[in-house]
Amino acid sequence: VEVAKQDVAVAQKKLNTAIAQADFSAREALRFDELYKGGVVSRQVFEDKKRQAETERLNVEENRQDVAAKQQQVESNRSELATKQQTVVQRQANLELVLSGPYPDDIQAARRELEAAKATLKRQQQQLKYDREQLQRTQLLMPIDGYLVTSYLDQKVGSYLKQGNTFAVAEDDRNIRGEVRVAEYNIGEFNLGASVELKLMAYPNRPFTAKVVSIEPAASDQHSSSTTAKEP
C-alpha cells in the first residue's frame, strides 16, 4: 500500500507539471494568435504553437488517467490488506482455541458417544452370534453317506420340526445286506465267505457281486437295515 501511495504522489506531481505546462502553452497559443493577426509572426509559427498547446493538453489527460489508475490500485491494495488482516485475526483466534484445548462439555459428550457406540457394537456382536446359531440349526446333516429314501420331501417345505422328530430316512449304501431264498437241494453250493453273483429284477442286465456272510434255515421277509436322520 505504501509503495502504491508513493506511485500516486509521483503521478500527481507529473500531472501538476503537465497542467502548468499545458496552461502556459495555451496562453502562448493565444498570444501568437494575436501576433499572427497583427502580421508580426508567420502562420507557420502560429500553427506550431497551436499544435504544442494541443499536445500539452493531451498530455494532461494522460497524466490524469494515470493518477486515477494508481489511486484505484491503492484502493484495491487497501481492500486486499483489510482482507488479509481479517484472515490473520481469524487464524489467531483459531490458534488460541486449539491451544486452550477442548471444552469439558465437549469431552464428556465425546465420551458418552464412545460408550454408546461400544454398547451398540456389543449388542450387534451378540445378535450376530445368535443369528449364526439359528442358522446352524436350519442345517440337517446325515450321519452317514447314503441316499434319502423318504418320498415327497418337497411337501415338508415350510413345516416346523420339533427336536427329535424324524425328517427323512437315509440308507447306507456302502454295505447292502440282503436275504435270498435258495432251494434246499442247492444249499450245498453255498459256503460262508464265498463270492456269489446276483441279478436283480430292476437291473436284469447288471450283475452284482456279493459275499455270503450267513446261512439261515429259512429266509425272513425283512429287508436291509436303515438309518434315520433326525433334527440335531
Side-chain angles (χ1 to χ4, degrees):
V1 176
E2 294 299 327
V3 174
K5 288 182 178 180
Q6 293 176 3
D7 292 341
V8 171
V10 172
Q12 187 66 47
K13 289 180 180 180
K14 290 176 62 177
L15 175 61
N16 294 336
T17 301
I19 291 174
Q21 186 65 35
D23 184 62
F24 174 77
S25 296
R27 290 196 303 270
E28 282 292 294
L30 292 176
R31 187 170 69 84
F32 272 81
D33 182 35
E34 294 295 332
L35 293 175
Y36 167 69
K37 291 178 180 179
V40 178
V41 296
S42 65
R43 182 177 180 83
Q44 181 65 38
V45 174
F46 167 66
E47 292 294 337
D48 290 342
K49 291 295 182 180
K50 187 177 180 181
R51 282 194 297 271
Q52 183 179 358
E54 180 64 19
T55 300
E56 297 295 341
R57 186 186 68 80
L58 294 176
N59 188 34
V60 169
E61 294 299 326
E62 291 178 358
N63 280 276
R64 282 177 177 167
Q65 293 177 0
D66 185 47
V67 170
K70 285 182 168 52
Q71 288 177 341
Q72 185 176 3
Q73 182 64 37
V74 169
E75 294 300 326
S76 177
N77 291 342
R78 183 179 289 111
S79 177
E80 183 179 357
L81 177 61
T83 301
K84 290 183 178 180
Q85 288 176 341
Q86 291 178 356
T87 302
V88 170
V89 172
Q90 182 63 39
R91 290 182 177 178
Q92 183 66 31
N94 293 340
L95 177 61
E96 293 177 356
L97 181 62
V98 171
L99 294 177
S100 64
Y103 294 104
D105 293 342
D106 294 338
I107 296 177
Q108 293 298 328
R111 287 177 177 173
R112 288 193 296 268
E113 291 178 359
L114 178 60
E115 293 300 326
K118 288 182 178 179
T120 301
L121 177 60
K122 185 176 181 180
R123 288 196 302 270
Q124 291 177 346
Q125 289 175 339
Q126 293 174 348
Q127 182 66 37
L128 178 61
K129 181 180 178 181
Y130 173 77
D131 292 340
R132 286 177 175 173
E133 292 176 352
Q134 293 299 312
L135 180 61
Q136 291 179 354
R137 293 174 64 87
T138 62
Q139 298 177 356
L140 300 180
L141 302 178
M142 293 172 54
I144 59 173
D145 292 333
Y147 295 94
L148 294 176
V149 296
T150 302
S151 303
Y152 308 110
L153 287 178
D154 56 339
Q155 296 180 1
K156 293 188 177 183
V157 175
S159 61
Y160 178 77
L161 293 178
K162 294 183 179 180
Q163 185 174 0
N165 287 359
T166 299
F167 172 71
V169 177
E171 283 192 350
D172 185 359
D173 61 347
R174 292 173 298 179
N175 295 301
I176 300 177
R177 186 182 182 92
E179 294 183 356
V180 180
R181 289 186 175 89
V182 180
E184 185 177 357
Y185 56 83
N186 291 329
I187 197 66
E189 299 179 6
F190 297 92
N191 298 314
L192 291 177
S195 296
V196 295
E197 187 177 276
L198 301 176
K199 288 186 178 181
L200 304 179
M201 295 180 63
Y203 302 97
N205 298 323
R206 179 183 175 184
F208 292 88
T209 302
K211 181 180 180 180
V212 178
V213 295
S214 67
I215 299 176
E216 302 295 336
S220 65
D221 293 333
Q222 297 180 352
H223 299 287
S224 60
S225 60
S226 60
T227 304
T228 59
K230 299 181 180 180
E231 182 185 12

